[in-house]
Amino acid sequence: MRRVAMVSIALFALLIGNLTWVQFFQSDFYANHPRNTRVQLEEYSRQRGAILAGSEPIATSVATDGELKYQREYPDGPLYANLTGYKSLVHGSSGIEGAENEVLSGSDDRLFVDRITDTFTGREPAGGNVILSVNPKVQEAMAKGIGNSVGAAVAIDPKTGAILGQFTSPSYDPNLLADHDTNAEAEAWKSLNGDGDRPMLDRSASDRYPPGSTFKVIVSAALLEMGYTPDTMVPAGNSYSPPDTTHDITNSNNQCPNAQMPLKEALALSCNTTFSRLCVEEIGPEKIAETAAKFGFEEGYSTPLDVVASTTGTLGDKATLAQSCIGQNEVAATPFQMAMLSAAIANGGTRMAPHLVKELQAPDQTTLERTTSEKLGDSVDPEIAAQLQEMMVGVVNNGTGGNAKVDGVVVGGKTGTAEHGDGVPEHGWFTGYAMGDDGKPAIAVAVFLDSAGDGGSGEATSIAGSVIRAALGK
């Protein structure tokens, strides 16, 4: 009897231990297991909260006649797909749908009282809302400007770090992945992932490209910190032979024939020879890497969506440095980072933390949380930022960035053309900013066009001008 009792006690102990392990330590595993249909039925029995761009709903839940009571819908699917992400029965969620899932699904701890109240009042439970900082007019201007081209654009409020627009092309329709027909959803998933144009890749933040001449803004910042001024005479000419290589640095269209010119003119005309020579002979790799890092290179962001870190790569020997300082070699940047660059300059040298979520709301639209601005650091002193602004305004008014001009608005910027392989058309770039009527920075924008070829930087610059007009209502 004693032995039977001991065995029984041991079995009960094992049973209780296993129950404790399953209920407490493996609760998340079983709650989120794809075969646990009860959790899925419960989740889809609640109306998921909306995602809004300003006051415009860009992700909503609508009632169905099926076993799953609500289905996710994206009214302007491809326009915001890189931001909203998708909510899929099979493949989970991405984008804001994933990052803010607890609020949207109603499971956030701050909504506990709402859930208890719903139980007693019989009110249908619902999720909270996520309001983005995106300006729909800015997003639409980006999409219209880029059209069917491959590329991306990002716009930021320099004063606060609020993201005003973030678009990538080609895009995809997240409604296809929200389909309750799992066979149709699986086919859409297979098709999207097999598409050679990679429509599910967010080119604005998840991939890096050689920034070309837009990187000369960082080289200019390094020079100004070393005591140069916008009016300092610097070497130019249409050919420069760096040490340790037979490859000459040249300028397109021979636009810098004079032996010398002011630094601001060299930036306005985008003289490769000037910036390569000064990097090799005056600045050096350490100073370039340090200056780039202060603007955010080698640093990722979370908005809460992830932004991969841009990099200067290995600056290496003098021949390599000469290429790196015109945005080639291993230098690689996201359009997001290049918008952050102009935002810091427009904001007097202060780099603000970028954020996409403006406000989180309870189901009754009361505020759960409102995002506040946060300073990341000083990229340059205000005096240096003012000089960079002067030089970038010169690029738009007197140089290669004329397509970004907006009547009655102070616009500064820098164009860029970047090689990325033999026989492949060059990338086109523009990064810049605009001041508001109050004289304060209103918007910073970067536009990237993949393999746009001749005229690509001019096209990117025109798109940036359209985005600025949309943001300022011009």
Side-chain angles (χ1 to χ4, degrees):
M1 292 295 291
R2 284 196 300 269
R3 289 172 183 168
V4 171
M6 293 297 293
V7 170
S8 298
I9 292 171
L11 290 174
F12 272 111
L14 289 171
L15 183 61
I16 293 171
N18 183 64
L19 186 61
T20 302
W21 175 260
V22 168
Q23 287 190 324
F24 291 94
F25 296 101
Q26 287 195 302
S27 58
D28 286 341
F29 171 79
Y30 287 108
N32 296 299
H33 196 283
R35 294 188 178 182
N36 188 350
T37 57
R38 289 189 305 144
V39 173
Q40 193 175 78
L41 288 171
E42 180 184 357
E43 181 180 8
Y44 280 83
S45 70
R46 296 192 300 270
Q47 184 171 20
R48 190 173 176 84
I51 302 174
L52 302 97
S55 59
E56 182 177 307
I58 59 176
T60 60
S61 288
V62 295
T64 74
D65 296 326
E67 187 178 27
L68 302 178
K69 293 184 179 180
Y70 291 96
Q71 179 165 326
R72 206 61 168 158
E73 280 193 357
Y74 304 90
D76 295 299
L79 181 62
Y80 296 98
N82 62 310
L83 303 181
T84 61
Y86 53 79
K87 176 64 177 172
S88 166
L89 283 169
V90 179
H91 295 98
S93 55
S94 68
I96 291 297
E97 292 278 28
E100 300 295 347
N101 180 63
E102 291 188 351
V103 171
L104 292 167
S105 67
S107 62
D108 189 283
D109 290 342
R110 290 168 291 185
L111 298 176
F112 176 75
V113 174
D114 292 74
R115 294 196 295 272
I116 295 298
T117 303
D118 291 343
T119 300
F120 285 103
T121 62
R123 183 176 59 189
E124 184 176 349
N129 302 319
V130 176
I131 302 177
L132 306 185
S133 56
V134 171
N135 180 337
K137 292 183 179 179
V138 169
Q139 192 81 357
E140 290 164 5
M142 290 176 172
K144 182 178 179 181
I146 295 177
N148 294 324
S149 299
V150 177
V154 178
I156 298 172
D157 184 336
K159 303 183 299 298
T160 65
I163 297 169
L164 303 176
Q166 187 177 341
F167 178 75
T168 184
S169 175
S171 185
Y172 70 99
D173 186 356
N175 287 295
L176 299 174
L177 302 180
D179 199 320
H180 287 183
D181 182 338
T182 56
N183 290 327
E185 192 275 350
E187 187 62 32
W189 179 265
K190 181 180 178 181
S191 177
L192 289 170
N193 282 278
D195 190 329
D197 290 334
R198 300 188 296 170
M200 296 183 73
L201 171 67
D202 184 356
R203 289 171 169 83
S204 70
S206 299
D207 207 0
R208 304 178 296 196
Y209 311 90
S213 292
T214 59
F215 193 75
K216 292 172 184 173
V217 176
I218 289 175
V219 180
S220 297
L223 289 167
L224 294 173
E225 288 186 328
M226 293 170 61
Y228 284 66
T229 72
D231 294 313
T232 299
M233 297 299 291
V234 295
N238 280 318
S239 181
Y240 166 59
S241 300
D244 308 321
T245 182
T246 58
H247 178 76
D248 289 342
I249 302 293
T250 59
N251 301 311
S252 61
N253 302 320
N254 297 320
Q255 75 263 37
C256 307
N258 298 331
Q260 285 190 321
M261 63 177 61
L263 178 60
K264 62 184 179 184
E265 185 177 347
L267 185 70
L269 298 178
S270 200
C271 299
N272 293 335
T273 53
T274 297
F275 291 92
S276 289
R277 185 189 297 271
L278 290 174
C279 261
V280 170
E281 298 179 359
E282 300 290 336
I283 305 175
E286 293 81 8
K287 178 64 176 176
I288 289 296
E290 173 192 325
T291 305
K294 288 193 295 184
F295 279 104
F297 274 68
E298 319 300 338
E299 176 184 344
Y301 301 103
S302 177
T303 67
L305 306 185
D306 290 337
V307 179
V308 300
S310 299
T311 181
T312 57
T314 303
L315 297 174
D317 57 25
K318 292 181 178 180
T320 300
L321 183 62
Q323 289 286 339
S324 297
C325 285
I326 56 173
Q328 298 286 173
N329 192 42
E330 295 182 9
V331 180
T334 62
F336 197 102
Q337 172 56 51
M338 300 315 289
M340 288 290 291
L341 167 68
S342 289
I345 292 169
N347 197 38
T350 298
R351 186 164 57 104
M352 304 299 290
H355 61 270
L356 179 60
V357 175
K358 179 180 179 180
E359 183 180 346
L360 301 177
Q361 292 182 338
D364 62 0
Q365 298 184 358
T366 57
T367 299
L368 292 176
E369 181 182 328
R370 185 174 284 113
T371 302
T372 56
S373 300
E374 179 184 351
K375 176 180 175 180
L376 287 179
D378 292 319
S379 298
V380 290
D381 292 336
E383 296 79 10
I384 302 297
Q387 291 178 316
L388 287 169
Q389 289 176 21
E390 175 190 345
M391 293 171 65
M392 293 174 74
V393 169
V395 172
V396 173
N397 290 343
N398 308 304
T400 59
N403 288 351
K405 286 183 181 179
V406 177
D407 290 342
V409 177
V410 176
V411 180
K414 183 68 188 80
T415 59
T417 300
E419 298 177 354
H420 60 108
D422 293 338
V424 181
E426 300 92 344
H427 295 322
W429 281 92
F430 179 83
T431 180
Y433 66 88
M435 296 295 186
D437 293 336
D438 58 0
K440 296 180 180 179
I443 184 174
V445 60
V447 179
F448 163 74
L449 296 177
D450 192 318
S451 305
D454 291 341
S457 63
E459 186 179 351
T461 304
S462 296
I463 294 169
S466 299
V467 171
I468 290 170
R469 290 185 187 91
L472 301 183
K474 299 293 183 179

